[in-house]
Structure formats: structure tokens, C-alpha cells
Amino acid sequence: MWTTPKRLRCAVLSVLKHDYVARGVATHPRFELVVVADDPQVEEWGHERNQQFADVLGVPYVRDVERALADFDVDVVIVSSEAERHCDLSIRAASAGKHVIQDKPLSTVRSEAERLVTTIDETGVRFLMWNRNFLPAINDARRRIADGTIGRPYAIHSDFYFAKDAGVPKGSRPPGYPPLNWRAHQIASHIDGSDGGLGTDAMGELAIEAIYPLGYFDVILGGPRVERVFARSTSHFHQVYADNDVEDLASVTLEMSDDIIGSLAIGRIGAASHASGGDIKLLIQGDRGTLAINEAHPDVGIYYKGQPPREARQRRVASENDFLLAQNFAEAIDTGARTIMDASTSYNIFATCEAARESSRTSQPVKVHNWNDA
């Protein structure tokens, strides 16, 4: 006899970085956001953001994570704090037996990433790193590869250029000015959503955004591991990146298992460079053909007099990515299956980004230390 699936009660553990993950989860009827919570030592601006989101939801804001998990009968937590606190909040939730949905990046340091994956494995809870793997173009690419449309894939490339600003352009400040403070800049950038690298330590695009194209490589090709990388990077566009010695433009070559070669060009290229979110494409070559993908399609162009300069001209349509991610997570909870981007996959992407950053510093190829490597 069919029964209604259990409604899953969710605690939102911080929205200091963004609230889009929590909003995405809430698009699915299985999930109910019942409380927003954070640690009491969070700075007052952080408490203000959390309180504002709780007010929008019409739920309590609790300045005590453990009390919120216990008092509100929580099944799932959604973590979107500063990057340095991602693992700590996720580990504490998993240790309490709660399933975890986490914002990117997985971590800023390897030891914390290792501790998170170990905790997820030991507790048996489900973990999902929020991603874009259910976009229509990516779904179609997965089906075509699985159907053998282009034969055996042996090469994959992505251009992943994010058309977002990050403050003043490089070179626009007179010589002798003090360097821009990364954390203060990211806190102020919250108003227009360009604070994806919120944290104490500066993070370049390899840390902030490379999860998306590397996630595409993983899901489209069926999970090959990146074994070695060679990368070059620079601070080309934005002063805050140059002042903090992190990259806003990078290229990466990837040697992968199954004799696959990958390449990635990634950058934060500024809002004036593109009519919408950026130029994001993939090219997959197989032994019987080639697959060319525009990640944004299907989309529609909207142009009118008096249009605000920052309003996107080209807008995605027919995308159910948020709903499908939440559905994937609910099914994983129900069946014990892996999610589309579980903890070990997220760790491997983190390890690839870490190796790429090391390679760009040393100008040498670097081995990727994946999870459970011998």
C-alpha cells in the first residue's frame, strides 16, 4: 500500500554566505525549513543576516546550533556559512545523526575535508554538495554519453567564465593605496550576490567556482578520477584578487582515469563581459563523434527600453535543477543510495582544486590525492 513519504524537517545552519541553497531545497514539498541557527560567537552582521532570513521564512532564529537541532526535531541541515566553517558545522550535524546539504566549497583545508568525509562514512548519514548537475543541458549530455552517441569519450573541455564583478578593476587604484581586505570586501558584496568567496582567507576561482565544471566532468563521464593536473593562473581582472594574491583567471589540464584528458579554462570576467551569467560551454570528444554543450540553454533573451544595466538579458528556462537536487537527496535518504555529489566525490573535487592551485604556484604537474587512494 502506498504511503505519503515522510516530510523532512530542515535546520538552516547560517546564511552568512548565501541563502540560495536553502531556497532551492524549499522548492521540493518533502522539505520543510523549520529553524535558522548559528553559533552565538558569530559577529553581529552575521546574526542580522540570519535573523532577516528567518523572518522571511517565518521561523525562529536560534543562536545555538546544538539546541536548534535537538529542540526542533530536525532531520536535515543546510550549511551555507563562511567557507572556513562549512566542515565544522557539517561534522557537528552529521555527528548528531542529521543528513547534510552543504554549500561550496567543501573546505579550505585538507584535514577538515578528511574529517568530514570520515564522519559521514561513520555515521551513515547522507551528504549532498549543492551543485548544478541537473541543468537541462547537462542532463542531455549525460543521456547522450550513456547512449553511446559519440562512442567512448576520451577528451573533455570546459570554458567556465562567470560574468560577475568583484569590485574595482585591476589597476584602477593609484599606487600606494593599502590592499583591499578580502573579508571586508566579501561582506560588503553580499548585496549583489558576488560574495561567493566569503571567508577569512582569500579564495580564487579554482576554490570558489571550479566545483561546477569539475562536477560536470564527473557526472557526464560517469565518475573518472582526476589523477594529475597542470595549471596556470593569474589575477587579471579584479583589484581585490590581485591585492590578495589569488586567481580570477586560470587554465587547468587534467589527466584522468580511463585514459581521458580534460581541460578547463575558468575565470570571473566581470558583468560587462556577457549578457547574462557568463560564457559556460563544454566540448566532449569521443571515438565516434563530438558533443558541444552550451550550459545555459535553453534560454530566452529579454531586451527593453530602460532595462537596468545589471539585469540579465538572457535567462535560463525549463530548469528544475534545485527541485531535482532535492529529489535526489530525498531518494538517497529513503533508499541509502549515494547522492549525485556525495562527500567522497566532493572531496575528490576539492583535492583536484588543491592540486591545481599548487601546480599554478610551482609551474609543475601535481598528483591529485583522491579519497581512498592507496
Side-chain angles (χ1 to χ4, degrees):
M1 180 177 178
W2 186 86
T3 58
T4 303
K6 177 188 175 184
R7 185 110 159 143
L8 298 166
R9 294 171 60 83
C10 304
V12 182
L13 301 189
S14 183
V15 289
L16 267 64
K17 186 152 76 76
H18 291 309
D19 60 21
Y20 68 79
V21 177
R23 291 181 182 276
V25 174
T27 64
H28 196 289
R30 285 285 303 277
F31 296 89
E32 180 183 7
L33 309 187
V34 298
V35 64
V36 178
D38 213 332
D39 290 321
Q41 65 269 26
V42 167
E43 294 177 56
E44 196 55 38
W45 64 266
H47 286 308
E48 290 174 3
R49 283 189 192 177
N50 290 332
Q51 184 67 64
Q52 288 169 3
F53 187 60
D55 291 345
V56 168
L57 296 177
V59 302
Y61 173 47
V62 178
R63 299 189 184 196
D64 184 326
V65 167
E66 278 68 29
R67 182 164 68 85
L69 298 184
D71 290 356
F72 287 83
D73 191 25
V74 169
D75 304 295
V76 172
V77 302
I78 304 163
V79 175
S80 192
S81 62
E82 313 97 312
E84 288 91 350
R85 294 202 298 138
H86 280 174
C87 281
D88 177 66
L89 289 170
S90 293
I91 289 166
R92 289 156 61 190
S95 298
K98 313 304 179 184
H99 304 288
V100 178
I101 299 173
Q102 186 187 295
D103 201 354
K104 62 176 177 66
L106 180 68
S107 180
T108 58
V109 294
R110 175 184 289 268
S111 59
E112 283 293 280
E114 290 173 346
R115 195 161 70 94
L116 173 59
V117 183
T118 299
T119 303
I120 297 297
D121 286 347
E122 290 176 347
T123 59
V125 300
R126 301 297 92 186
F127 178 93
L128 173 68
M129 177 69 70
W130 203 250
N131 59 79
R132 290 152 61 143
N133 284 354
F134 283 118
L135 289 177
I138 305 304
N139 280 337
D140 188 66
R142 291 171 63 192
R143 287 192 293 268
R144 292 180 186 277
I145 295 296
D147 290 345
T149 302
I150 63 170
R152 184 189 72 83
Y154 63 83
I156 186 167
H157 171 78
S158 176
D159 289 320
F160 198 92
Y161 295 117
F162 238 16
K164 280 192 175 182
D165 285 328
V168 297
K170 181 180 176 181
S172 61
R173 286 160 56 88
Y177 267 54
L180 294 168
N181 179 275
W182 179 267
R183 189 164 185 265
H185 178 273
Q186 296 298 323
I187 291 171
S189 298
H190 183 74
I191 192 169
D192 66 0
S194 60
D195 55 339
L198 177 61
T200 301
D201 298 328
M203 292 176 286
E205 292 307 290
L206 289 170
I208 299 170
E209 304 297 350
I211 175 182
Y212 293 135
L214 293 174
Y216 299 158
F217 290 7
D218 176 79
V219 74
I220 290 172
L221 297 176
R225 289 193 168 195
V226 179
E227 297 173 340
R228 195 166 70 142
V229 300
F230 179 76
R232 301 302 296 269
S233 65
T234 187
S235 306
H236 182 75
F237 296 102
H238 305 294
Q239 190 66 47
V240 68
Y241 281 73
D243 285 352
N244 289 274
D245 195 28
V246 291
E247 77 285 343
D248 56 19
L249 184 66
S251 64
V252 188
T253 302
L254 310 100
E255 297 176 5
M256 308 168 74
S257 60
D258 302 327
D259 295 322
I260 298 172
I261 294 295
S263 55
L264 167 64
I266 186 168
R268 184 170 295 252
I269 59 178
S273 64
H274 198 269
S276 55
D279 191 34
I280 303 176
K281 297 177 181 178
L282 293 98
L283 190 69
I284 307 167
Q285 191 153 357
D287 57 16
R288 296 213 323 258
T290 299
L291 190 61
I293 305 158
N294 188 325
E295 186 234 50
H297 287 178
D299 64 353
V300 60
I302 301 176
Y303 303 84
Y304 58 90
K305 290 182 179 180
Q307 191 168 11
R310 289 183 176 272
E311 184 176 273
R313 270 59 173 168
Q314 291 163 267
R315 306 180 193 178
R316 299 171 185 268
V317 295
S319 175
E320 296 180 310
N321 185 69
D322 288 354
F323 178 90
L324 293 174
L325 283 172
Q327 177 67 24
N328 176 259
F329 191 63
E331 290 173 354
I333 291 172
D334 293 342
T335 66
R338 297 177 61 180
T339 64
I340 196 167
M341 191 176 289
D342 62 7
S344 59
T345 300
S346 302
Y347 181 94
N348 292 346
I349 290 174
F350 164 82
T352 298
C353 297
E354 182 184 59
R357 295 196 302 274
E358 181 182 347
S359 177
S360 69
R361 288 192 301 267
T362 63
S363 298
Q364 297 294 320
V366 174
K367 175 180 169 59
V368 177
H369 297 282
N370 289 292
W371 186 250
N372 284 338
D373 275 352

